[in-house]
Amino acid sequence: MVLSGPSGVGKTTVYRQFLARCPGVRFSVSCTTRAPRAGETVGVDYHFLDRADFQRRVAAGEFLEHAEVHGNLYGTLRAEVEDTVRAGGDVLLDIDVQGARLVRASAAGTPLAPSLVFVFVGPPSLAALEGRLRGRGTDAEEVIQRRLRNARAELAAWREYEYLIVNDVLDEAVADLVSVLAAARRATCRCGAPWNHE
Ligand code: 5GP
């Protein structure tokens, strides 16, 4: 399950609550070159790497996808995703729009393609998003402005996703995501083993 949405939309809160309700789903811990924020745990929220280490892993082919977001590098390690998916498990990826496109493109024509579910988390309005970005109080004005510019570009891509969840009331957004997972698990195109109905 690939989850995207502009920063400040509350995606992290939504997916944390979702994972608490769906403990069978594995969260793909991304690598990033940005500095940890207060309250973030190394290896749980992200693998924090310096640029040289990140680039070394790119060259070694360790990433399923990687992209530059807000001036920092972010990437999904194959090791976080592939074995679990091959074994029939569910993995949640929190990645930006560029990353989602790369995952879609690299899975095209492979057995992974029908397993993918793309979910976009949007704000009730752009004004609400700006309020949340400022309310977080963790980022400098210049960073907020860059994130807002990026948010407009990300929002324009929502139709590329199969599902849209508007994060207005948190509990409802979490319940929506749980429902998307339930629907995805029942999709006939995602049934691995033949269904023995006789
Ligand atoms: P933040 O720095 O606020 O945690 O994340 C900034 C943006 O980077 C978010 O839109 C998030 O979805 C995206 N992001 C996080 N991990 C990855 C990743 O592994 N790949 C890509 N392409 N984007 C990521």
Side-chain angles (χ1 to χ4, degrees), residues 49-89:
L49 308 179
D50 60 34
R51 278 204 170 234
D53 192 6
F54 195 101
Q55 296 293 9
R56 192 185 52 73
R57 288 168 190 264
V58 171
E62 289 184 27
F63 290 112
L64 187 61
E65 63 75 34
H66 62 92
E68 182 145 354
V69 188
H70 316 308
N72 291 300
L73 300 174
Y74 291 81
T76 306
L77 290 170
R78 293 184 184 283
E80 293 282 338
V81 179
E82 290 182 344
D83 289 350
T84 306
V85 170
R86 233 175 259 125

Side-chain angles (χ1 to χ4, degrees), residues 11 30 34 37 46 65 67 74-76 94-96 99 147:
K11 228 177 354 165
S30 292
R34 82 152 161 76
R37 291 199 188 105
Y46 281 105
E65 63 75 34
Y74 291 81
T76 306
D94 166 10
I95 60 177
D96 82 322
R147 284 178 183 242

